[in-house]
Amino acid sequence: MEDLEPEQIETLQQNPSHENLPAVLEVQMSHLDPHGAMDACYQLLSAQRAIAYLDPYGMAVEWGNTMHVTRLRAQHGVAIAKGDFLSARKRSKTAKPTVRSKSISNYARSITENFDSASTERLLSSIRTAALARSSGSPENQLISLWSAVEVLLSEPKDEARIVHYTSLITPCVVSRHTRRQVNAVYEGLLIGHRTRFSRILRSMPDYKETQGYRAFSQLMFLPEHADRRSTLAGILKNNPLALHRVWKLQNDYKDVKSANRTISDHADRVRWQIHRVYRARNQLVHAGRMPSYLESIILNLAEYYRSSIATIVNRAKQEDGKSDIDQIVAEIGIKYGIFRNAFDGRSTDALSEGQVAMLMDWL
C-alpha cells in the first residue's frame, strides 16, 4: 500500500466530488493487524464523508463493506468485511428462527406488561438509544450512545457525583448472575467432552432429582460432603489439563466463606473500575475530542453490562404482582445485593452451607 500524498487529501477535503474520489483508495496503516487496518481505513472514509456533510449541498459518499488488505510488500492479501462490532454471536445453521423469534417476542412482552407507563417509556427510550450503537460504524458514536442509554435507564443523581451515582445503581444489576454464569460455563464445557461419566457422577448425588443440571453441579463443587465425587471427577479429567484447571479454579473460588467473599468482592470491584473507565473515556470524547486506544474493549464491556442490567431489571419486575416503577426495581436490586453481601461478609474459613450455595446461584 502507498500513502496518499498531502495535496491529494487536501483536494478531497476542499472540493469533495465524485471526480476527486479514487475508485481504489490505497492507505498505508502501520503496526495494525488486518482487521485493525480495515477499521482504520473505514474511519478515514467516514471522516471524509463527514467533511462532505459540511457543504450546503452535500454529496453522496458511499463505499462497500468489504476491503482488501495486504502487507506492504506482499503479492496477495485478504478481503475483510466490515461487520457489526456489537453484533451477537452468529446463529448456527441448525437454529430455528421461529424459536428465537418467540423468545424475543416474550421478552418484549415482559418489558411492556410489567412496568407502569412512565417506566415503560423510559425503558424503551433507553433501548432505542442503545440500538443506535449497533447501527453506527463509528466507535465514538457507539460509546456515547451506550452511555446515554445507561443514563436514560437510571435515575438522575441528586447530591452526589454522577459517576458515583450511576456506578452504585448499575453494579448490582451487572453482577447479579456472575457465579451462576461461572458454574454454568464450566458445567457446559464438561458436558461436551465428558458427558457420560460426568453425568453419572451428578446422578449419584442424593438430591439430584430436586437440583438437576448446573445447580446440582454447584453443590458438587462447593459442598464439603461431595469431596469424594470431586476427586472422582478430577480422575476423569486427568488427561484434560484445561478442564481440570477450570474445575479447580471454580472450586477454589468458593471453597469457604472467606474465598466466596473475596471472589464476589473482586468481581464487583472490577465492574466498578470498568464503569469508571468507560465514563472517563466518554468524557475524553465529549469534552476533549480524544479517542483512547482501548476504546473497542470498553464498548464491548459496556454493551455486555447494559444487556445484563436490562435482563436483571426485567426479570426482577416479572416477580412483582402489579406494574413496577423502574427506579423502585433498581433500588430493590441494590437492597437485595446488600443482603447477599452480608451473608458472605467476614473472614470465616467455614465451608459453604447448602443455603449459601443456593443464594450464590440465585440471590435475586
Side-chain angles (χ1 to χ4, degrees):
M1 297 183 181
E2 299 178 356
D3 285 323
L4 283 174
E5 296 297 332
E7 56 270 15
Q8 289 179 287
I9 295 178
E10 184 178 358
T11 301
L12 289 174
Q13 293 175 347
Q14 292 181 354
N15 186 22
S17 66
H18 289 292
E19 291 77 17
N20 289 332
L21 287 177
V24 178
L25 179 65
E26 295 184 356
V27 182
Q28 181 177 343
M29 304 293 179
S30 59
H31 307 295
L32 291 176
D33 60 87
H35 290 273
M38 178 272 298
D39 188 67
C41 188
Y42 186 91
Q43 298 306 320
L44 174 63
L45 291 170
S46 299
Q48 294 297 325
R49 180 167 60 185
I51 293 172
Y53 289 161
L54 298 177
D55 185 84
Y57 299 98
M59 181 184 70
V61 181
E62 297 180 354
W63 57 86
N65 290 329
T66 302
M67 300 187 183
H68 190 262
V69 182
T70 63
R71 294 187 180 277
L72 182 61
R73 285 174 288 275
Q75 298 297 320
H76 304 283
V78 60
I80 301 178
K82 176 66 177 178
D84 185 0
F85 185 69
L86 296 177
S87 61
R89 291 176 294 179
K90 292 182 179 179
R91 182 186 302 163
S92 63
K93 295 181 180 179
T94 58
K96 296 181 179 180
T98 55
V99 176
R100 190 63 182 165
S101 299
K102 183 177 180 180
S103 175
I104 294 175
S105 176
N106 292 336
Y107 195 68
R109 187 180 300 109
S110 298
I111 292 176
T112 56
E113 292 182 353
N114 292 286
F115 294 91
D116 57 37
S117 57
S119 296
T120 300
E121 181 180 357
R122 198 166 103 200
L123 189 57
L124 293 178
S125 176
S126 174
I127 294 173
R128 286 193 297 268
T129 304
L132 295 175
R134 298 180 66 92
S135 59
S136 174
S138 167
E140 299 99 320
N141 291 337
Q142 290 174 354
L143 177 61
I144 293 172
S145 296
L146 283 172
W147 184 258
S148 297
V150 171
E151 292 194 352
V152 172
L153 180 67
L154 304 175
S155 62
E156 282 289 314
K158 296 181 179 179
D159 300 322
E160 57 185 344
R162 297 182 69 85
I163 183 57
V164 174
H165 174 76
Y166 292 132
T167 301
S168 63
L169 291 181
I170 200 173
T171 299
C173 299
V174 174
V175 305
S176 63
R177 294 180 291 173
H178 174 64
T179 302
R180 187 165 63 187
R181 288 179 173 179
Q182 273 187 287
V183 172
N184 198 39
V186 179
Y187 170 75
E188 291 182 348
L190 293 177
L191 285 178
I192 294 175
H194 310 275
R195 178 179 293 271
T196 302
R197 290 185 292 176
F198 175 52
S199 298
R200 190 179 299 124
I201 294 176
L202 290 179
R203 286 195 296 269
S204 69
M205 296 172 59
D207 300 330
Y208 177 74
K209 291 184 178 180
E210 288 75 19
T211 56
Q212 298 185 16
Y214 66 90
R215 296 183 184 277
F217 179 59
S218 68
Q219 295 186 356
L220 172 67
M221 285 289 96
F222 303 151
L223 295 181
E225 57 264 31
H226 299 306
D228 292 341
R229 293 183 175 87
R230 288 195 292 271
S231 298
T232 303
L233 178 61
I236 294 173
L237 302 176
K238 63 182 180 180
N239 295 324
N240 190 340
L242 178 58
L244 186 61
H245 175 75
R246 294 184 71 190
V247 169
W248 172 83
K249 179 67 166 60
L250 178 63
Q251 200 278 328
N252 188 68
D253 283 346
Y254 300 93
K255 63 182 179 181
D256 51 41
V257 175
K258 179 181 177 181
S259 299
N261 179 56
R262 181 179 62 248
T263 300
I264 296 167
S265 179
D266 288 349
H267 179 249
D269 289 342
R270 287 194 298 271
V271 171
R272 293 189 190 95
W273 174 80
Q274 193 65 244
I275 294 172
H276 280 265
R277 193 168 176 239
V278 168
Y279 191 67
R280 286 196 301 269
R282 179 260 182 193
N283 285 345
Q284 286 182 7
L285 282 174
V286 173
H287 301 299
R290 297 198 306 269
M291 185 172 68
S293 59
Y294 48 84
L295 188 59
E296 290 188 349
S297 63
I298 282 180
I299 294 170
L300 283 176
N301 286 328
L302 182 57
E304 180 60 30
Y305 290 172
Y306 180 78
R307 283 193 291 262
S308 297
S309 300
I310 291 291
T312 301
I313 292 171
V314 172
N315 290 333
R316 176 61 187 173
K318 288 167 63 176
Q319 301 175 18
E320 302 293 326
D321 294 331
K323 300 286 187 177
S324 299
D325 176 78
I326 191 169
D327 291 336
Q328 182 65 29
I329 291 294
V330 173
E332 290 178 4
I333 293 172
I335 294 172
K336 283 278 189 178
Y337 180 67
I339 297 173
F340 166 71
R341 287 305 309 272
N342 289 335
F344 296 91
D345 189 18
R347 306 183 63 85
S348 173
T349 56
D350 294 339
L352 298 179
S353 65
E354 187 172 344
Q356 287 174 321
V357 173
M359 183 177 290
L360 281 171
M361 300 303 292
D362 191 11
W363 58 266
L364 188 58

